[in-house]
Amino acid sequence: MDLLEQPIGKIARDIPGATSVFHKYGLDFCCGGSKKLSVMIEDKGANASLLVFDLQKLIDLGEPSLSWNVAPLSDLVAYIKDRYHSIYREQLPELIRLSARVEKVHADHPACPTGLTEHLEKMYEELGLHMLDEEKNLFPLIMAGEISKARPIIEQLVDEHENYGRQLEAIEEITHNISAPEGACNTWSALYLGLRTFKVDLMQHIHLENNILFDRIKTEGF
Ligand SMILES: [Fe+2]
Ligand SMILES: [Fe+2]
């Protein structure tokens, strides 16, 4: 099947390593998962032939598909919680601390990420509530196998994920695509390194929920 005609979330789910290609070309595979690859490429102005070439190389490698497509949902939930939910509770306070320092010390620099600290504080608060909602309301239903009761809860969580996608875009704007200026101090470099990790983690987290966990809950016959 023509890759360009497939939803980007499906490609991210089915081809191991595809998410790295999407990061490379700046394509949103998590919140925009239901859009066709061709539409995403056009929106971003990316080079379609190069991107498809990169994906084709991964297909030719023939690595087995990620097990999350078939693993028990309870295992996937446990993985999301252990690998992703706990990380923001450590990662974001440190990024907020670094950001406050950079904004204070480099306030006069033209590349200073003005407003970043406030933005990260807002994300920390909202993500915290979102994850708590998943942990208290959604995940226990999945763990107990009560999947039909989980279905109505999903819509709001997907909307919130879209909001995080927009918030990540705002980070890119504030930080000039998360690129520190020439000769940036260690704190500034550490902040942007951490922000890039935060972005990759959050996109992968949302991808696992939107395109695998929620899709399986919606489509598998429970
Ligand atoms: Fe989550
Ligand atoms: Fe979530």
Side-chain angles (χ1 to χ4, degrees), residues 3 15-16 52-64:
L3 284 170
I15 304 177
V52 169
F53 178 75
D54 282 353
L55 289 176
Q56 194 58 50
K57 271 198 295 187
L58 293 173
I59 295 170
D60 294 343
L61 279 177
E63 300 245 350

Side-chain angles (χ1 to χ4, degrees), residues 147-167:
I147 305 300
S148 56
K149 287 189 191 162
R151 285 193 181 117
I153 299 176
I154 292 171
E155 294 305 313
Q156 190 199 329
L157 296 169
V158 170
D159 284 349
E160 289 172 11
H161 290 166
E162 281 186 20
N163 183 38
Y164 302 133
R166 287 190 291 273
Q167 290 178 336

Side-chain angles (χ1 to χ4, degrees), residues 190-202:
L191 169 65
Y192 282 16
L193 186 67
L195 280 178
R196 281 194 289 275
T197 304
F198 169 63
K199 181 189 158 194
V200 170
D201 279 346
L202 186 53

Side-chain angles (χ1 to χ4, degrees), residues 47-95:
N47 184 316
S49 346
L50 285 179
L51 198 151
V52 169
F53 178 75
D54 282 353
L55 289 176
Q56 194 58 50
K57 271 198 295 187
L58 293 173
I59 295 170
D60 294 343
L61 279 177
E63 300 245 350
S65 192
L66 290 173
S67 60
W68 294 128
N69 292 334
V70 290
L73 290 180
S74 53
D75 288 359
L76 176 54
V77 163
Y79 175 73
I80 288 172
K81 217 172 133 201
D82 290 348
R83 167 62 181 85
Y84 292 103
H85 282 206
S86 46
I87 205 165
Y88 303 119
R89 293 174 177 130
E90 294 165 17
Q91 208 175 29
L92 274 166
E94 176 61 6
L95 290 177

